[in-house]
Amino acid sequence: MEDDAPVIYGLEFQARALTPQTAETDAVRFLVGTQSLKYDNQIHIIDFDDENNIINKNVLLHQVGEIWHMSTSPTDKGVLATCYNKTSDSKVLTCAAIWRMPKELESGSQESTDDSSSNPQTLELLCHLDNTTYGNMSCIKTTNVPVENASIYAVLTKLPLLMFLSSSTTLKGKGQLKFTSGCWSPHHNCTQLATANDTAIRGWDTRTTCQVYCIENAHGQLVRDLDFNPNKQYYLASCGDDCKVKFWDTRNVHEPVKTLEEHSHWVWSVRYNHSHDQLVLTASSDSRVILSNMVSISSEPFGHLVDDDDLSDHEDNHNEDKKEPLQDSIIATYEEHEDSVYAVEWSSADPWLFASLSYDGRLVINRVPRALKYSILL
């Protein structure tokens, strides 16, 4: 099999929740949450053997309801959070909880057990986030990086309320006053968070729970997802139902610094590569995943620069003409899915590998093309 060939894993259930195991940096591992109204829902732990192109799976039981969103702790391999639906008195409630997986499954590179599907293991409930006070939960966002050896959780609700640990703040204004997505900034010691509600994007300071910026009408329709550039502290990517992906400098929010219009339907997910921020993934209900090279607004717009002291005179003269900014481009369009692609995530262990998930339960693992990988490294 060619190195760049995709690897496909099919679940027996519909699914839309996907997350890497953030604290696992030695092995490629993703978690997938199912959405089933007829059967008990599950979390599939997917371990990918990159050398042999083999997927190993283990299954955890998630009996409390169908999973809409998942996140994992950046410091503890065994801890994860889910947002899920359950029915109570003929009403559908969206709840949230924090769990611990069995100790033997915490680390990556696990082999599949023969009865993992027929006899899934159970999760240990650590904390149930009560929705009687704050209403239905949209998602739980953990910090992307450890903060003083702890994880900080932000809970976004379907009411105009945002909770940080023991404090909260209320969203005020016109329009659809409920949060749809959010993202922690990995900068500023993780004291800033961006949220999306309706067509607006807002920045918050967790120290004061005050709004620090607002991008009104960031998209023509609902904003679906956000992600911060890991290397440029003020840069933020967004996507939405207007089929667009936009890049913002939060110091000047009057207009985006760049806009992509490559998708033909709603864009559900946007993700910066954690190591090479010019690489940006997007997933859409047009059934496609697109990998873009946004080098002009990256931390290395001229490519990898070599120190002048390391160049010989001949190399120095040869490179004088190569100081022009590199051009943005679409690297690849991945079309292995046949249904809406709701999530795409980079591996936390391998910066050249990513996974995407469509509603029919198809998980596809792909790699950055080797030619681009070597051009970035060399």
Side-chain angles (χ1 to χ4, degrees):
M1 186 177 292
E2 295 181 5
D3 287 348
D4 290 343
V7 179
I8 299 175
Y9 170 74
L11 284 76
E12 297 177 358
F13 306 103
Q14 294 173 328
R16 65 193 301 158
L18 170 69
T19 182
Q21 187 180 25
T22 311
E24 177 57 84
T25 57
D26 296 324
V28 176
R29 171 176 271 201
F30 296 96
L31 277 62
V32 181
T34 66
Q35 282 194 328
S36 175
L37 296 175
K38 295 182 179 180
Y39 306 100
D40 286 336
N41 283 278
Q42 302 173 341
I43 295 175
H44 287 228
I45 303 174
I46 305 299
D47 287 293
F48 179 58
D49 181 349
D50 191 26
E51 292 184 2
N52 300 304
N53 262 22
I54 296 174
I55 283 179
N56 295 308
K57 71 163 184 178
N58 285 279
V59 179
L60 299 171
L61 203 58
H62 189 273
Q63 293 177 300
V64 289
E66 53 178 348
I67 304 170
W68 284 78
H69 183 269
M70 285 195 304
S71 58
T72 56
S73 167
T75 57
D76 191 325
K77 295 180 182 180
V79 174
L80 64 141
T82 61
C83 283
Y84 57 91
N85 279 1
K86 72 173 184 179
T87 303
S88 177
D89 298 328
S90 300
K91 295 181 180 180
V92 177
L93 302 176
T94 305
C95 308
I98 301 174
W99 311 86
R100 178 174 292 280
M101 66 177 67
K103 191 72 176 178
E104 63 269 21
L105 296 181
E106 288 185 5
S107 297
S109 300
Q110 296 283 339
E111 293 186 0
S112 300
T113 56
D114 294 336
D115 61 348
S116 63
S117 295
S118 56
N119 295 296
Q121 299 194 52
T122 57
L123 291 161
E124 176 191 353
L125 178 64
L126 298 181
C127 174
H128 179 261
L129 302 175
D130 186 15
N131 64 348
T132 56
T133 302
Y134 302 114
N136 288 341
M137 312 292 180
S138 292
C139 60
I140 298 179
K141 293 291 184 177
T142 58
T143 51
N144 296 327
V145 295
V147 181
E148 296 180 357
N149 297 318
S151 299
I152 299 179
Y153 293 89
V155 181
L156 281 69
T157 73
K158 292 186 178 180
L159 291 175
L161 186 80
L162 173 65
M163 295 180 286
F164 313 105
L165 299 175
S166 59
S167 61
S168 64
T169 186
T170 302
L171 179 62
K172 299 178 181 179
K174 300 179 181 179
Q176 189 176 353
L177 293 181
K178 65 179 183 180
F179 294 106
T180 54
S181 184
C183 181
W184 284 99
S185 170
H187 313 288
H188 314 291
N189 197 30
C190 290
T191 58
Q192 290 193 12
L193 177 82
T195 62
N197 74 287
D198 202 2
T199 62
I201 299 170
R202 303 172 191 272
W204 305 86
D205 189 322
T206 61
R207 296 165 295 186
T208 61
T209 66
C210 291
Q211 182 176 296
V212 291
Y213 59 83
C214 179
I215 310 175
E216 297 283 1
N217 300 314
H219 285 261
Q221 298 180 47
L222 189 69
V223 180
R224 289 286 178 184
D225 199 19
L226 305 168
D227 197 27
F228 275 98
N229 187 314
N231 299 330
K232 297 186 72 173
Q233 61 177 325
Y234 298 107
Y235 275 62
L236 172 72
S238 64
C239 61
D241 286 359
D242 57 1
C243 310
K244 297 178 181 179
V245 180
K246 297 186 178 183
F247 300 87
W248 306 91
D249 183 338
T250 58
R251 295 167 298 182
N252 182 6
V253 297
H254 297 295
E255 60 182 20
V257 294
K258 203 83 175 181
T259 300
L260 296 178
E261 301 182 48
E262 301 297 330
H263 287 287
S264 59
H265 208 265
W266 303 345
V267 187
W268 285 85
S269 183
V270 58
R271 288 292 180 271
Y272 276 105
N273 186 287
H274 306 307
S275 302
H276 309 284
D277 58 279
Q278 66 266 49
L279 302 179
V280 178
L281 287 166
T282 55
S284 166
S285 41
D286 63 8
S287 303
R288 298 186 301 159
V289 174
I290 295 179
L291 174 60
S292 301
N293 188 16
M294 304 305 296
V295 65
S296 71
I297 54 174
S298 73
S299 56
E300 293 187 346
F302 296 92
H304 180 65
L305 299 181
V306 180
D307 194 295
D308 290 341
D309 294 336
D310 297 332
L311 293 174
S312 65
D313 291 339
H314 174 73
E315 290 174 321
D316 193 27
N317 293 332
H318 180 70
N319 282 278
E320 281 183 357
D321 298 330
K322 295 187 178 181
K323 300 291 186 175
E324 292 294 326
L326 302 176
Q327 297 298 310
D328 299 335
S329 62
I330 302 301
I331 299 166
T333 300
Y334 301 91
E335 300 182 343
E336 293 87 7
H337 293 282
E338 298 176 356
D339 206 340
S340 296
V341 186
Y342 284 129
V344 64
E345 297 285 353
W346 292 99
S347 165
S348 58
D350 186 341
W352 310 108
L353 192 145
F354 59 91
S356 53
L357 177 69
S358 52
Y359 189 55
D360 56 5
R362 178 177 293 186
L363 178 77
V364 180
I365 296 177
N366 268 300
R367 302 170 179 84
V368 173
R370 283 175 293 170
L372 177 65
K373 171 182 175 179
Y374 295 141
S375 70
I376 292 175
L377 293 176
L378 303 176

